[in-house]
Amino acid sequence: MTRPLQLLAIAGVLLLISVISACGSGGGAESQPSATETPSSERVYRQASIMQQQADRVSEQLDAEEEQDGSVSEHRDAEASGEDAEVMASGSIDFGHRIGLPFSRNVVGDPDAPVLFVEYSDYQ
Amino acid sequence: MLDELVRSGIARFEYVHFLGHGGPSVFAAMSTECAGDQGAWWSFHDHYMTTNDFTRDSAVALAASLELDTEQFGQCLDEEAHLDTVNASHQQAREAGVSRTPTIHVNGEGAATIGEALIEQVLALANELGEG
């Protein structure tokens, strides 16, 4: 995305240079003497140089923004990993006689169910 | 019976560890919690309800058969990552007045051991809800 912008800026600068040059050299009787053409060209090149620098700054800024977006995306990915861990501890049982029932770790069934059975037991 | 009530949306079911037999009880409870980190809490729960093999090897083998991350699972066991969790469960049971297992509470009241008394209690509750 930044490269096309940069190329567009450069193309714009080159177009500007060619237009100004054309005006300066094709002026006929109204054109300035050749002695004054050199300073005019220098101004054009300085202007072109300034525009190029501005284009470079814009490009660098866009690159920096893209980099920042990338770090934000990674951060979101990290958050998503945390969410995944939570999701792993809950969901829907996919085996046995409780298949299809929602669960959250050691609780199974509809969280809004009006009756709560709590079994206190020991595997041993 | 309980499963039917859970499946119908009338009830939900919670299991709380009661550590009545020391080391094996603690290990089985911690294994279940470590499996729970990977979404397999109920798989381990059901397994431990039907076995007396509470060794690390068998727990890791079960984790492998369930395609869990055995390295993560083993680390969880070795670090006793859920020791506080299972101790807190046991404390919850003690505070609920549990002294023998299994014990089931219905909406926090009317302690009953598994058996006919419980079924009668559940049916009474279901009827109350149905009439309500």
Side-chain angles (χ1 to χ4, degrees):
Chain A
M1 186 64 185
T2 57
R3 298 299 168 217
L5 279 175
Q6 193 174 9
L7 290 172
L8 192 61
I10 293 169
V13 169
L14 292 175
L15 183 62
L16 182 66
I17 291 169
S18 63
V19 167
I20 292 173
S21 297
C23 291
S25 60
E30 293 177 8
S31 65
Q32 297 294 322
S34 62
T36 60
E37 283 180 37
T38 303
S40 176
S41 296
E42 283 177 0
R43 278 199 301 275
V44 168
Y45 282 115
R46 275 201 301 273
Q47 197 172 3
S49 175
I50 290 167
M51 290 177 74
Q52 179 60 53
Q53 286 172 5
Q54 287 173 341
D56 287 344
R57 278 200 293 273
V58 169
S59 176
E60 287 170 6
Q61 191 176 353
L62 288 171
D63 284 344
E65 284 175 3
E66 277 186 358
E67 200 171 316
Q68 192 176 4
D69 287 346
S71 62
V72 168
S73 176
E74 286 170 14
H75 180 63
R76 284 177 183 156
D77 288 344
E79 285 181 345
S81 298
E83 288 168 7
D84 287 346
E86 290 297 318
V87 168
M88 289 298 285
S90 62
S92 179
I93 293 177
D94 59 359
F95 69 95
H97 60 284
R98 299 190 191 89
I99 192 164
L101 292 175
F103 77 97
S104 178
R105 209 166 185 95
N106 62 323
V107 182
V108 64
D110 184 347
D112 297 323
V115 176
L116 171 63
F117 296 115
V118 181
E119 178 178 349
Y120 303 94
S121 195
D122 189 345
Y123 295 131
Q124 173 67 321
Chain B
M1 183 66 198
L2 292 184
D3 287 338
E4 288 174 15
L5 288 170
V6 171
R7 193 170 290 282
S8 69
I10 291 174
R12 58 199 157 99
F13 179 79
E14 177 181 358
Y15 182 92
V16 176
H17 302 294
F18 184 86
L19 310 174
H21 295 86
S25 299
V26 174
F27 179 81
M30 286 197 304
S31 295
T32 304
E33 295 299 331
C34 287
D37 289 344
Q38 299 185 54
W41 198 98
W42 288 97
S43 297
F44 267 65
H45 168 81
D46 288 352
H47 171 74
Y48 282 130
M49 293 299 277
T50 60
T51 185
N52 285 318
D53 184 354
F54 301 117
T55 62
R56 186 185 188 284
D57 285 348
S58 67
V60 172
L62 177 58
S65 73
L66 294 170
E67 299 182 349
L68 305 188
D69 181 336
T70 52
E71 187 176 344
Q72 178 188 333
F73 179 78
Q75 188 176 355
C76 179
L77 289 179
D78 296 340
E79 293 177 353
E80 298 185 336
H82 285 294
L83 182 58
D84 288 346
T85 306
V86 300
N87 280 333
S89 289
H90 183 69
Q91 184 62 27
Q92 178 185 343
R94 295 295 296 269
E95 289 174 358
V98 174
S99 58
R100 60 177 178 162
T101 60
T103 293
I104 292 186
H105 286 186
V106 183
N107 281 355
E109 297 177 0
T113 53
I114 289 178
E116 289 185 6
L118 172 66
I119 292 172
E120 287 174 7
Q121 193 171 5
V122 167
L123 287 174
L125 269 171
N127 286 334
E128 284 177 24
L129 290 167
E131 290 169 3

